[in-house]
C-alpha cells in the first residue's frame, strides 16, 4: 500500500525557534552558575522586543540582557531593518521564582522515605512523554523529519557561509515521502520557503535554492521526475522573523520531536531544567527506544512514560514495536523495565543533564543528531544479551 507522510522543520531564525534558542541560552547560563537551579524560562518576541518571563530559582547571577542579545546576534538578526536586532531592540525581564508548592513535591517525593537516593526527587509535573526510533535512517529517525531538518540546516549554512548572501535568517522546510508499506521509496514533494533581501529576483532565488540546498541535501535516488518542488510558493518572503509573526517558546513541539510520526505528550522542552520530565523523560524515552532498535530487537519502537507530580517512579510505561519485535511487546516491556531506571533523578544522573548543553538542542530537532547523551546506544549490547536470556526462559 502506498502512502504519503509529511514532516516540517524551520530554521533557527524562525521566530518561535529564536524564542526557543533564547530560553535555552538562559537555561545554560543559569546551569553554568547553579547546576541545581529550577528553570522554566519563556520567551516572547515581536517587532523590536524580547520579553523573558517564567519561573526561575537559582543561586548566582546571570545577565539576561547580554544572553538575549548574544542569542539574537548568533542567529543573524543584526540589522534593524529585519524588525528585531541584537543591539537596538528592547529586552524586558518579568521572572518569578518557582512555586513553593511545586518545589515541595520535587524536593521530597512521596517515596523519599525509602532510603534510595533516586526516590528523593519527584517529577516536576504530571504528564506523558514519548520516545521513538526506526531503522529508516542511520540516525534511527523517521526519514521525513530527518530530511526536513537537513534542509533547514542547509538554508542556514548557505546564508552564514556567504554562498547565498541575500538570504535572511527566517525559513521553513517541508518534505513529503512516499512509502510502500513501511518502507520509504521516494520524495514526493519538497516545500522550501526562505526569507530573502528585496532586490533578489524570484527566478534566481528558486534556481539557487534548488541547486544549492535541495539537491545538495537530498540523495539523488530519492528525487524523481515527479518530485514536486515548491520554492517560495508565495513568490516573495522579505518580511520575516518576529516582525512577521510573534515568536513564542515551545510552539514547535512536533518539529522538535519526530515530525508527527508518533504521538506527542504535549509538553515543550526549551527553557526547562531537567527536573521537568516534559524534557528529561522525553529524552530518556528516546534513549530507550533508540537502544532497543540499535540492539536489533525491533525495527520500530515507541516508548510512552507517564508521571505524577511529586512522585519519583513513573506511573505508566507502554511499549509498542508495531509488530516488528520477535520478542513481542510484553516481553520487550519487561526487558525495558529491568534495564532502564526512569525515575527523574536516575535519568538526570545517567544522561548527565545538569550541564549547559541545551542551546544546541533549540534548532533542527532534539533527536537524531550526535553529541547529545540521549542519542548514545551504549545499552544496546546489554539489551541483546538480556533478550537472549529472556527468550530462553521456560514458557517463552
Amino acid at each position: 500500500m502506498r502512502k504519503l507522510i509529511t514532516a516540517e522543520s524551520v530554521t533557527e531564525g524562525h521566530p518561535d525557534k529564536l524564542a526557543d534558542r533564547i530560553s535555552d541560552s538562559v537555561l545554560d547560563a543559569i546551569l553554568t552558575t547553579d547546576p541545581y537551579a529550577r528553570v522554566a524560562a519563556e520567551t516572547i518576541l515581536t517587532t523590536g522586543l524580547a520579553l523573558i518571563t517564567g519561573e526561575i530559582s537559582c543561586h548566582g547571577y546571570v545577565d539576561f540582557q547580554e544572553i538575549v542579545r548574544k542569542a539574537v546576534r548568533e542567529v543573524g538578526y543584526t540589522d534593524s531593518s529585519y524588525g528585531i536586532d541584537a543591539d537596538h531592540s528592547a529586552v524586558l525581564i518579568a521572572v518569578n521564582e518557582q512555586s513553593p508548592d511545586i518545589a515541595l513535591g520535587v524536593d521530597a517525593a512521596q517515596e523519599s522515605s525509602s532510603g534510595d537516593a533516586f526516590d528523593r526527587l519527584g517529577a516536576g509535573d504530571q504528564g506523558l512523554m514519548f520516545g521513538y526510533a526506526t531503522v529508516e535512517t542511520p540516525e534511527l529517525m523517521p526519514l521525513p523529519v530527518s530530511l526536513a531538518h537537513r534542509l533547514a540546516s542547509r538554508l542556514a549554512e548557505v546564508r552564514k557561509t556567504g554562498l547565498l548572501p541575500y538570504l535572511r535568517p527566517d525559513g521553513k522546510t517541508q518534505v513529503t515521502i512516499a512509502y510502500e508499506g513501511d518502507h520509504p521509496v521516494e520524495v514526493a514533494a519538497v516545500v522550501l520557503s526562505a526569507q530573502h533581501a528585496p532586490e533578489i529576483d524570484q527566478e534566481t532565488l528558486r534556481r539557487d535554492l534548488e541547486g544549492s540546498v535541495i539537491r545538495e541535501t537530498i540523495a539523488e535516488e530519492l528525487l524523481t521526475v515527479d518530485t514536486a518542488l515548491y520554492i517560495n510558493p508565495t513568490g516573495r518572503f522579505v518580511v520575516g522573523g518576529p516582525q512577521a509573526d510573534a515568536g513564542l517558546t515551545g510552539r514547535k513541539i512536533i518539529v522538535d520531536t519526530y515530525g508527527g510520526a508518533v504521538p506527542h505528550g504535549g509538553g515543550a522542552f526549551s527553557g526547562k531544567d531537567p527536573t521537568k520530565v516534559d524534557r528529561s523523560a522525553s529524552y530518556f524515552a528516546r534513549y530507550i527506544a533508540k537502544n532497543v532498535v540499535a540492539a536489533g530487537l525491533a525495527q520500530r519502537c515507541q516508548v510512552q512514560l507517564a508521571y505524577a507530580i511529586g512522585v519519583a517512579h513513573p506511573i505508566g510505561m507502554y511499549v509498542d514495536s508495531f509488530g516488528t519485535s520477535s520478542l513481542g511487546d510484553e516481553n520487550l516491556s519487561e526487558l525495558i523495565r529491568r534495564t532502564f531506571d526512569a525515575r527523574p533523578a536516575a535519568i538526570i544522573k545517567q544522561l548527565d543533564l545538569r550541564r549547559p548543553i541545551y542551546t544546541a538542542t533549540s534548532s533542527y530537532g532534539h533527536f537524531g543528531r550526535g553529541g547529545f547523551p540521549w542519542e548514545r546506544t551504549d545499552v544496546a549490547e546489554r539489551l541483546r544479551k538480556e533478550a537472549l536470556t529472556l527468550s530462553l526462559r521456560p514458557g517463552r
Side-chain angles (χ1 to χ4, degrees), residues 212-234:
S212 297
V213 177
I214 294 174
R215 298 195 180 276
E216 285 291 323
T217 302
I218 300 177
E220 185 177 353
E221 60 267 23
L222 289 173
L223 297 170
T224 73
V225 294
D226 296 321
T227 301
L229 302 181
Y230 301 95
I231 300 173
N232 278 31
T234 66

Side-chain angles (χ1 to χ4, degrees), residues 1-326:
M1 181 182 71
R2 186 179 175 90
K3 57 188 176 184
L4 301 176
I5 298 178
T6 302
E8 70 162 344
S9 184
V10 296
T11 66
E12 62 210 53
H14 184 281
D16 295 329
K17 275 289 138 204
L18 179 58
D20 284 345
R21 185 184 186 91
I22 291 170
S23 293
D24 276 331
S25 297
V26 168
L27 171 63
D28 279 350
I30 292 172
L31 290 178
T32 300
T33 300
D34 180 4
Y36 291 88
R38 300 288 164 77
V39 182
E42 308 284 353
T43 302
I44 302 169
L45 300 171
T46 189
T47 305
L49 174 65
L51 170 62
I52 312 303
T53 185
E55 297 77 45
I56 297 174
S57 299
C58 69
H59 300 287
Y61 169 79
V62 296
D63 188 339
F64 286 97
Q65 291 270 345
E66 179 54 33
I67 293 166
V68 172
R69 297 189 189 282
K70 181 174 183 248
V72 172
R73 186 177 297 109
E74 288 173 343
V75 167
Y77 286 106
T78 55
D79 188 320
S80 59
S81 68
Y82 294 175
I84 193 167
D85 73 289
D87 296 315
H88 302 102
S89 295
V91 178
L92 302 181
I93 312 299
V95 172
N96 298 313
E97 289 188 341
Q98 183 186 58
S99 162
D101 296 342
I102 294 175
L104 281 173
V106 177
D107 294 333
Q110 286 190 7
E111 306 97 319
S112 57
S113 61
S114 71
D116 188 327
F118 289 160
D119 277 345
R120 295 173 192 160
L121 184 75
D125 202 352
Q126 69 176 43
L128 58 154
M129 299 83 204
F130 290 90
Y132 182 68
T134 172
V135 295
E136 286 180 30
T137 61
E139 61 272 23
L140 305 186
M141 286 288 287
L143 183 59
V145 74
S146 182
L147 288 180
H149 285 322
R150 287 184 218 166
L151 286 170
S153 180
R154 177 65 177 171
L155 267 181
E157 181 184 355
V158 297
R159 171 178 61 87
K160 291 180 175 180
T161 61
L163 182 61
L164 301 180
Y166 55 79
L167 293 183
R168 291 180 175 178
D170 199 356
K172 303 182 76 170
T173 65
Q174 187 171 284
V175 178
T176 300
I177 302 292
Y179 284 75
E180 295 288 350
D182 291 330
H183 302 288
V185 292
E186 65 185 34
V187 175
V190 176
V191 183
L192 197 64
S193 297
Q195 187 188 15
H196 58 86
E199 64 271 13
I200 193 70
D201 66 273
Q202 293 299 309
E203 183 180 348
T204 299
L205 176 73
R206 287 171 177 159
R207 183 184 65 245
D208 287 352
L209 291 179
E210 179 178 346
S212 297
V213 177
I214 294 174
R215 298 195 180 276
E216 285 291 323
T217 302
I218 300 177
E220 185 177 353
E221 60 267 23
L222 289 173
L223 297 170
T224 73
V225 294
D226 296 321
T227 301
L229 302 181
Y230 301 95
I231 300 173
N232 278 31
T234 66
R236 181 178 169 88
F237 187 5
V238 173
V239 179
Q243 185 178 20
D245 293 290
L248 186 64
T249 299
R251 246 190 340 206
K252 285 290 178 285
I253 57 177
I254 298 301
V255 170
D256 284 343
T257 52
Y258 307 99
V262 294
H264 191 292
F269 302 158
S270 289
K272 295 178 180 177
D273 76 81
T275 66
K276 278 73 171 174
V277 285
D278 284 342
R279 181 168 219 161
S280 55
S282 294
Y283 291 169
F284 201 64
R286 162 67 175 174
Y287 181 61
I288 295 171
K290 187 173 184 182
N291 274 275
V292 166
V293 173
L297 303 183
Q299 292 189 322
R300 298 168 61 197
C301 182
Q302 174 185 297
V303 176
Q304 181 199 90
L305 299 173
Y307 294 84
I309 188 168
V311 179
H313 288 81
I315 61 172
M317 176 185 285
Y318 172 71
V319 180
D320 188 355
S321 70
F322 307 92
T324 66
S325 175
S326 60

